[in-house]
Amino acid sequence: MFLKFINLNTFIGNSEKTFIIAEVGQNHQGDIKLAKKLIKTAKECGADCVKFQKTCPEEKFNKLALTRPYISPNSFGPTYGDHKAYLEFNENEFLDLQKYADDLGIFFTASAMDAKSLDLLIECKVPFIKIGSGDSNNSLLIEKAAKTGIPLIISTGMLELDAVKTIYNLVSKYHKKFVLLHCVSAYPAPFEDINLSVVTLFKREFPDITIGYSGHELGTHISTAAVALGCKVIERHITLDKTQKGSDHCCSLEPDEFKMLVDNIRNVEKAMGQPVKVMQNSELPCYEKLGKTLVYTKDLCKGHILSINDLNIKVAEPKGINGTKLNDVLGKTLTVDVEEDGSVLEEHLDSII
């Protein structure tokens, strides 16, 4: 299974390169200029996609949730509704950000936090829609998104496996163009709670879709390890300054860290290579210098049949038959006289090994 984003000929799939999402979320502080700077930074760091969050507060929260006091160092308003409204871009601002990202050549999308926001994202023709962990138990929203046929990337924080299977079965009724992300919804996530082995579990349970990882831990090494386990989508929050006001900044990556993450992922992809074990060209200088080959333990005459007592393995000049071929040489008949400590060469034997 793969998702194809036609406009930039980009694919998400198990045989493709890792798709890296820079999650801006609400780290823009409600400032569109800062939001654009984060988009540009994500592009410069090598991210494939920049992601925001889209919310209609009245659709996502009930009245009591919106009016409850929000007394916190991270608050942008006296109530939770005021706080969310401060951080929310209107439709025109959102479209402006999308155009800015398109002009830079980086994918732009958002998490749909409610049905009305989902409709807006569909109108914007984003390449895929993200369903965050906060809506991973929102079957109404997930099914509405699945019915559109638009590719989905779904985080699975705060869920047990049976609930993840429910998501898989629900979306699969409509299509298989979706990705499940292992995620732990803690900010930051303690290393001992991450259970990165869940990636392997997901790959076994859902072999016909792509698996990824959305990380909230400190640093970059866990997310890089997720790629080695087979994740093909990595999502991490990006910030310009971890000390800024807001609960996500502490577990976000500053530009130098995000660039390091991208570089490390690309290096891991190169290092994973193919499941073929052969001597590499880069190893030849070492083999020529130190690689051991077969040598004779004594002078031997033409017609002698080689036994284990006739052979040793040493670093030798000239380079002879590789020491790994010992058993193939046993029982061969010499076609020439040979000297003690000399290299065993193909032309000394009655048949090619």
Side-chain angles (χ1 to χ4, degrees):
M1 192 283 301
F2 62 82
L3 317 183
K4 181 179 180 182
F5 303 149
I6 298 174
N7 57 334
L8 287 180
N9 197 32
T10 298
F11 297 79
I12 292 178
N14 293 333
S15 62
E16 303 299 322
K17 74 171 189 175
T18 307
F19 189 78
I20 302 173
I21 301 171
E23 162 75 283
V24 172
Q26 296 183 330
N27 284 352
H28 50 70
Q29 315 296 91
D31 181 345
I32 196 164
K33 290 183 179 179
L34 179 57
K36 288 183 176 180
K37 190 170 183 179
L38 283 161
I39 293 172
K40 188 171 187 289
T41 299
K43 171 67 175 179
E44 291 170 345
C45 288
D48 297 294
C49 178
V50 62
K51 190 182 79 65
F52 286 75
Q53 297 173 4
K54 194 73 189 81
T55 303
C56 176
E58 292 75 19
E59 294 288 325
K60 180 175 180 177
F61 303 97
N62 72 3
K63 293 178 182 178
L64 286 177
L66 288 173
T67 57
R68 77 171 184 251
Y70 188 38
I71 310 302
S72 165
N74 295 317
S75 174
F76 286 93
T79 68
Y80 202 68
D82 293 329
H83 167 77
K84 296 300 289 185
Y86 183 92
L87 293 170
E88 193 65 31
F89 292 127
N90 62 38
E91 182 174 339
N92 287 335
E93 290 172 322
F94 197 78
L95 291 171
D96 183 31
L97 291 174
Q98 183 183 37
K99 182 180 184 305
Y100 182 74
D102 287 345
D103 289 343
L104 287 178
I106 185 170
F107 286 111
F108 175 94
T109 192
S111 296
M113 301 293 200
D114 52 78
K116 188 173 181 179
S117 297
L118 174 63
D119 290 338
L120 173 62
L121 294 179
I122 293 170
E123 291 176 15
C124 292
K125 297 181 180 180
V126 294
F128 67 90
I129 288 171
K130 172 73 189 296
I131 303 293
S133 293
D135 283 297
S136 59
N137 66 345
N138 188 344
S139 59
L140 298 176
L141 180 64
I142 293 172
E143 184 160 25
K144 180 176 180 178
K147 284 180 177 179
T148 68
I150 294 174
L152 304 176
I153 295 182
I154 306 170
S155 283
T156 59
M158 301 178 287
L159 294 183
E160 296 183 356
L161 181 60
D162 284 346
V164 180
K165 289 180 178 179
T166 297
I167 294 173
Y168 171 84
N169 292 331
L170 178 59
V171 180
S172 294
K173 289 195 306 181
Y174 301 98
H175 61 79
K176 289 292 180 68
K177 298 182 297 182
F178 68 103
V179 178
L180 291 176
L181 305 183
H182 173 45
C183 179
V184 176
S185 297
Y187 303 83
F191 293 144
E192 62 270 21
D193 289 350
I194 291 174
N195 291 322
L196 207 54
S197 295
V198 170
V199 170
T200 304
L201 172 66
F202 279 8
K203 286 174 67 66
R204 184 173 69 245
E205 292 286 340
F206 315 114
D208 54 347
I209 64 169
T210 299
I211 302 302
Y213 175 67
S214 176
H216 300 119
E217 74 279 357
L218 300 179
T220 63
H221 51 295
I222 301 299
S223 297
T224 305
V227 173
L229 286 176
C231 285
K232 288 298 182 175
V233 176
I234 294 293
E235 178 185 79
R236 289 297 304 268
H237 285 258
I238 189 170
T239 182
L240 298 180
D241 182 358
K242 290 183 181 183
T243 66
Q244 284 180 302
K245 180 179 178 178
S247 57
D248 289 343
H249 288 287
C250 67
C251 61
S252 300
L253 301 178
E254 292 181 346
D256 57 339
E257 291 178 294
F258 207 100
K259 178 66 165 59
M260 180 188 300
L261 172 67
V262 173
D263 290 345
N264 287 344
I265 286 174
R266 299 305 177 215
N267 286 334
V268 165
E269 288 173 327
K270 292 176 186 176
M272 292 299 291
Q274 300 297 322
V276 179
K277 181 59 178 171
V278 296
M279 185 187 299
Q280 301 298 322
N281 288 336
S282 62
E283 296 179 289
L284 290 176
C286 185
Y287 176 71
E288 290 300 324
K289 180 180 179 181
L290 297 174
K292 291 184 171 65
T293 57
L294 296 172
V295 298
Y296 301 107
T297 59
K298 63 191 80 169
D299 293 343
L300 297 170
C301 297
K302 176 181 177 180
H304 181 79
I305 298 174
L306 292 172
S307 69
I308 191 68
N309 294 326
D310 300 324
L311 300 169
N312 199 355
I313 301 174
K314 293 184 178 183
V315 176
E317 292 292 342
K319 191 69 68 180
I321 295 174
N322 194 302
T324 60
K325 302 293 186 180
L326 173 63
N327 289 333
D328 297 325
V329 170
L330 295 177
K332 297 293 183 182
T333 301
L334 291 175
T335 59
V336 294
D337 295 337
V338 296
E339 296 180 352
E340 178 184 352
D341 214 35
S343 299
V344 181
L345 305 177
E346 289 272 2
E347 55 265 32
H348 295 173
L349 308 179
D350 62 336
S351 59
I352 298 174
I353 62 171

